[in-house]
Structures are given as C-alpha cells and as structure tokens.
Amino acid sequence: MHFKDDAELGKHIASKIAALIEEQGTNPGAVAREAGLGVTSVRDILSGRAKTPNVATLVKIANVLHADPGDLITPMQSDPQANALYFALDEDNQRRVRAIMRALLSDQEARG
C-alpha cells in the first residue's frame, strides 16, 4: 500500500491503533502508561497531531496492544487473539513458534 503523503500514513496508523484499543477495551492513556510513554503521545497520534510517529513509539504501542508493529502500517492486521497468545509465551517458546512457522512456510513453498 502506498500513501500519498505523511498525513495519509498518519491517519492510517491512527485508525489501526484506535481499532486495537477499542477491540481490547482499553484507552489511549492506559496504553501510553503501559508503553512507558507520555500520556499525550498516543492521543497525539490518534488525533493526527503526530503525523509521522517514530518507529520506537510505534513498537512500544504495538507491544502493549499485542500487535506486530508492521500491522500498524500495512493494510492487513494480524489476528489480535493469536498475537496475545504468542506474546503470553516466554522467550524460548516464542522462538519455537517462529521456528515452526518458518518450517511450515518452507514446506509450503517446496510443495508449490
């Protein structure tokens, strides 16, 4: 997906974050606090005042919302329940899940 300018990208990111916040029954202030950000950080993104939020901020917000940071930018959003399950695992099990997924993708590509 291509965005004509930073404002369009900012609106897209804001809508993704807003949808995740609503899905999870939380609010911008709670997300900001849990992410270790100033309370206005998330509100500025949602309102459009922060047209191009920095990557570090997006990663922190995505982690709190159990989302892949790339999902905030790309048109497809991951399954929030699958993300929540993945992030509930410890680091070793997350590594195992990634290895299994890579093996499944390799197998799928080999079959054609």
Side-chain angles (χ1 to χ4, degrees), residues 4 8 13 15 24 35 37-39 46 50 55-56 65 68 78 81-82 91-93 98-100 109:
K4 67 180 179 179
E8 186 178 349
I13 292 169
S15 70
Q24 296 181 26
L37 301 168
V39 176
L46 294 173
V55 174
L65 295 172
D68 184 313
S78 294
Q81 290 175 329
E91 194 173 317
D92 287 339
N93 283 319
R98 289 192 304 270
I100 291 166
E109 289 171 359

Side-chain angles (χ1 to χ4, degrees), residues 81-99:
Q81 290 175 329
N83 283 334
L85 290 170
Y86 173 79
F87 285 110
L89 297 171
D90 62 34
E91 194 173 317
D92 287 339
N93 283 319
Q94 285 180 0
R95 212 175 357 265
R96 287 181 183 117
V97 168
R98 289 192 304 270

Side-chain angles (χ1 to χ4, degrees), residues 24-97:
Q24 296 181 26
T26 188
N27 64 66
V31 171
R33 282 188 297 279
E34 194 173 334
L37 301 168
V39 176
T40 59
S41 296
V42 176
R43 289 191 182 117
D44 285 351
I45 293 169
L46 294 173
S47 71
R49 282 191 292 271
K51 294 197 185 343
T52 54
N54 74 46
V55 174
T57 298
L58 291 179
V59 168
K60 289 177 182 179
I61 292 169
N63 286 338
V64 168
L65 295 172
H66 306 290
D68 184 313
D71 289 343
L72 302 180
I73 299 169
T74 59
M76 296 292 290
Q77 180 178 314
S78 294
D79 179 342
Q81 290 175 329
N83 283 334
L85 290 170
Y86 173 79
F87 285 110
L89 297 171
D90 62 34
E91 194 173 317
D92 287 339
N93 283 319
Q94 285 180 0
R95 212 175 357 265
R96 287 181 183 117
V97 168

Side-chain angles (χ1 to χ4, degrees), residues 4-18:
K4 67 180 179 179
D5 56 26
D6 288 345
E8 186 178 349
L9 173 60
K11 285 179 187 176
H12 178 79
I13 292 169
S15 70
K16 291 286 189 121
I17 292 171

